[in-house]
Amino acid sequence: MKRLNELFDIDNDMKIYSIHSDSRYVKPYSIFFCIEGLSVDGHRYVNDAIFQGAKVIVHSKELEHKDGIIYIQVADPLDELNRVSNIFYDYPSKKMHTIAVTGTSGKTVVASMVKKIMDHYCKAAYIGTISLEYDSVKEQCPYTTPETIYVQSKMADMVKRGIKVVAMEASSHGLALKRIDGVDFNTAVLTNVGEEHLDFHGTIEKYIESKRKLFEMLSSHSLAVLNKDEAVYEEFKKATKARTISYGIENESEIMAKNIKLSIDHSEFDLQLKGNVYHVDCPIITQFNIYNVLATVGVLIGLGFDDRMIVDAINHLEPISGRMELIPNDHKITIIVDYCQHTRDHKKVFEFVHQVAKGKIIAVLGAPCKRHIKRRRALGKLANQYLDHAILTEVDNRGGNVEEICQEIQEEITDIPSIIIPKREIAVEQAIEQACPGDIVLLLGKGQEKFISLEVGQEYYPGDKEIAIQAMKRIYEGEEEDEIS
């Protein structure tokens, strides 16, 4: 609870019990912020908010005033929401070490690695694509980077529960929509920048601008961990007042991986760190994940880890759920589950397995929905170049026709066998059934997710990992399976 004059420069000490930007959740004696979103204008729901009990309306457009209601007109209600929510929840991010990870890919892996490592030293939290996770709380986030009130209220609860470190994903959407403008970050990480999400940002320049904003927000007391192998490195370094630390593989950096040896189940490399070299062997696969390990090292330096602690942490890293995750089995088949959303991610995965494969490469590939039309033919060309067999199926159809989308991909697959199986559960089972000892099976597009996004809402999906495990039991151990409807 806060008094109104604590939140605004106003001569009124009314008690405020909650703040809201969604009229459906407004409670008595609350403030309602009229936020203009991508498809919804909060000004249209003022009467609903008042009916629910709002006593204060923060708005930018002219409104008809009602008796007993306080109206505060501002230039941008979203800016005010960030400012007020920070005060209302007592500046929670200032009471923890807060880390933001941005980039086209790798956000989930780096933020999750940091959380898992810090769990050995203190209470830590993760906010991102996989979930919201801290203490005994684990729930699905509404977005990769949730909205302002959600973030601030959860961080306030983290403070109450004794959380010391928070690692969160900062998506380009979340940054552009000002969802974390009110968060005080101690460390920010740039993984990489690819030409993605242009359906939202419009141009690559706007996309880069949204990510650069995170580093512009940092204070001089913060740390920016930057990938020196990315073309935008110098631009991001110049954009921030924070102390910077660089990492890379190709360009000379403060944190480097050299003499890399990639295997199907682990990676070895020499870690060059502050003039010292340490040989490490970690259960993380692919070169792009080594970049994520180096980014994590940068964060650990910011957290005060010494070299010995860093090397020990890397050697004992745990694979991240749904991110190049190996599914253990006794049948000598390598099964890898990966989220793999972007074209460049598919290419990196294919290049890696092509390099280490001894048998056939079989892949279950999801059909990019109507938001990602350009990815379809590109995916087909990559499959044709690197795979031995492709099974095309659904990922998140969002109202698209799965078979038609798969046919677009299949038109580019001319040199290898390919088949369309619209139902993903059956597609995964088919891939497992086709595999022989020594083969690699790639289950791409869903990662850890246990749902299929439809045009409206979601439907339950058991998950690639669970389906693969059950398929192996049925095929190799003769267990009966439930009939798939």
Side-chain angles (χ1 to χ4, degrees):
M1 186 275 293
K2 285 284 187 291
R3 294 191 180 275
L4 186 58
N5 56 11
E6 293 180 82
L7 305 175
F8 293 93
D9 185 13
I10 188 171
D11 187 18
N12 188 309
D13 64 353
M14 177 194 299
K15 291 181 178 179
I16 299 297
Y17 290 94
S18 59
I19 58 176
H20 305 276
S21 60
D22 189 326
S23 62
R24 295 172 296 179
Y25 306 113
V26 168
K27 297 176 181 178
Y29 285 90
S30 64
I31 303 175
F32 177 65
F33 291 80
C34 302
I35 305 300
E36 291 186 71
L38 298 175
S39 57
V40 177
D41 185 350
H43 292 85
R44 294 170 53 192
Y45 299 94
V46 169
N47 290 336
D48 293 343
I50 293 172
F51 178 78
Q52 293 278 90
K55 293 296 183 182
V56 181
I57 305 297
V58 179
H59 61 104
S60 58
K61 297 179 180 178
E62 294 297 328
L63 294 174
E64 179 184 348
H65 287 207
K66 292 188 175 183
D67 293 340
I69 304 299
I70 297 172
Y71 294 84
I72 301 175
Q73 189 167 10
V74 297
D76 188 341
L78 185 53
D79 286 341
E80 283 298 286
L81 177 59
N82 275 291
R83 184 187 66 79
V84 169
S85 63
N86 216 354
I87 301 171
F88 187 85
Y89 290 106
D90 294 320
Y91 303 94
S93 60
K94 290 182 179 294
K95 300 171 184 177
M96 302 176 286
H97 192 107
T98 309
I99 300 147
V101 186
T102 195
T104 303
S105 58
K107 297 184 296 294
T108 301
V109 174
V110 175
S112 298
M113 281 181 178
V114 171
K115 198 269 183 189
K116 284 177 177 286
I117 291 169
M118 294 311 301
D119 279 339
H120 296 287
Y121 298 92
C122 65
K123 284 190 172 184
Y126 161 79
I127 305 174
T129 307
I130 295 176
S131 62
L132 168 75
E133 188 174 343
Y134 64 96
D135 203 20
S136 59
V137 176
K138 187 169 184 178
E139 61 186 59
Q140 188 67 42
C141 280
Y143 304 100
T144 297
T145 305
E147 294 180 336
T148 304
I149 295 174
Y150 183 94
V151 170
Q152 295 286 6
S153 63
K154 294 299 182 181
M155 283 190 169
D157 189 49
M158 290 174 191
V159 171
K160 290 179 184 177
R161 291 171 180 257
I163 301 300
K164 301 300 181 184
V165 175
V166 183
M168 71 178 297
E169 298 181 46
S171 69
S172 60
H173 293 71
L175 287 161
L177 296 172
K178 302 182 178 182
R179 290 177 183 164
I180 50 176
D181 278 16
V183 178
D184 185 65
F185 290 108
N186 301 95
T187 304
V189 179
L190 175 69
T191 57
N192 49 62
V193 177
E195 198 163 316
E196 300 288 348
H197 304 303
L198 301 190
D199 56 319
F200 175 81
H201 295 284
T203 65
I204 186 64
E205 289 77 19
K206 289 288 185 183
Y207 176 54
I208 292 172
E209 180 183 322
S210 70
K211 294 196 172 297
R212 192 178 65 233
K213 176 184 173 183
L214 174 63
F215 297 88
E216 293 169 343
M217 290 164 54
L218 296 177
S219 73
S220 58
H221 302 294
S222 302
L223 173 67
V225 181
L226 301 175
N227 186 342
K228 200 169 184 182
D229 291 346
E230 287 292 308
V232 297
Y233 168 79
E234 290 293 343
E235 177 183 346
F236 277 59
K237 185 177 181 180
K238 291 176 182 176
T240 187
K241 299 186 292 291
R243 175 171 68 93
T244 63
I245 188 166
S246 63
Y247 69 94
I249 294 174
E250 298 172 3
N251 293 303
E252 195 64 31
S253 309
E254 292 160 272
I255 305 166
M256 292 196 74
K258 294 186 175 182
N259 302 318
I260 297 171
K261 295 179 182 179
L262 300 174
S263 300
I264 194 60
D265 59 353
H266 73 284
S267 300
E268 294 182 57
F269 58 91
D270 291 331
L271 174 65
Q272 182 176 295
L273 182 62
K274 295 179 288 186
N276 298 314
V277 178
Y278 306 92
H279 185 74
V280 296
D281 186 338
C282 61
I284 301 298
I285 59 175
T286 73
Q287 182 159 305
F288 61 81
N289 267 332
I290 292 177
Y291 276 105
N292 295 330
V293 171
L294 298 179
T296 301
V297 170
V299 174
L300 297 180
I301 291 173
L303 285 164
F305 277 49
D306 61 28
D307 290 10
R308 179 190 58 80
M309 294 168 69
I310 289 170
V311 173
D312 184 63
I314 293 174
N315 282 328
H316 293 92
L317 280 173
E318 298 175 19
I320 306 304
S321 177
R323 299 307 193 272
M324 293 305 289
E325 182 182 8
L326 288 165
I327 309 303
N329 65 86
D330 298 323
H331 313 297
K332 298 182 180 179
I333 300 171
T334 301
I335 303 172
I336 299 174
V337 174
D338 192 68
Y339 189 58
C340 209
Q341 294 283 302
H342 308 297
T343 303
R344 64 185 267 171
D345 294 341
H346 280 96
K347 185 175 182 181
K348 289 176 180 178
V349 171
F350 292 163
E351 286 176 341
F352 166 70
V353 295
H354 196 263
Q355 179 181 343
V356 299
K358 295 179 180 177
K360 297 193 303 295
I361 303 171
I362 304 165
V364 173
L365 304 174
C369 63
K370 57 189 177 183
R371 295 193 306 184
H372 305 298
I373 294 173
K374 292 181 180 179
R375 293 182 188 171
R376 297 173 188 171
R377 292 193 177 277
L379 180 56
K381 289 177 181 177
L382 287 172
N384 191 66
Q385 181 179 355
Y386 290 102
L387 303 180
D388 295 296
H389 190 96
I391 301 175
L392 308 177
T393 188
E394 63 183 338
V395 180
D396 294 318
N397 59 59
R398 302 186 192 276
N401 185 302
V402 174
E403 289 197 50
E404 289 180 2
I405 295 171
C406 288
Q407 286 168 3
E408 284 188 57
I409 301 171
Q410 196 175 43
E411 287 175 7
E412 300 294 335
I413 304 176
T414 57
D415 301 324
I416 63 168
S418 64
I419 185 172
I420 296 172
I421 303 177
K423 194 166 183 63
R424 189 173 182 90
E425 292 173 67
I426 299 174
V428 171
E429 287 200 351
Q430 182 67 31
I432 302 299
E433 195 156 12
Q434 285 189 14
C436 298
D439 290 349
I440 296 176
V441 177
L442 301 173
L443 307 178
L444 306 180
K446 292 304 294 178
Q448 82 296 335
E449 291 180 346
K450 294 198 171 184
F451 59 86
I452 300 287
S453 293
L454 308 173
E455 188 167 20
V456 178
Q458 299 173 340
E459 68 177 11
Y460 173 72
Y461 173 66
D464 289 350
K465 181 177 180 178
E466 180 62 27
I467 294 169
I469 290 171
Q470 293 304 318
M472 281 187 288
K473 287 181 178 180
R474 176 177 60 83
I475 294 165
Y476 294 100
E477 300 170 26
E479 291 192 9
E480 292 294 325
E481 64 169 348
D482 295 332
E483 182 178 352
I484 298 174
S485 57

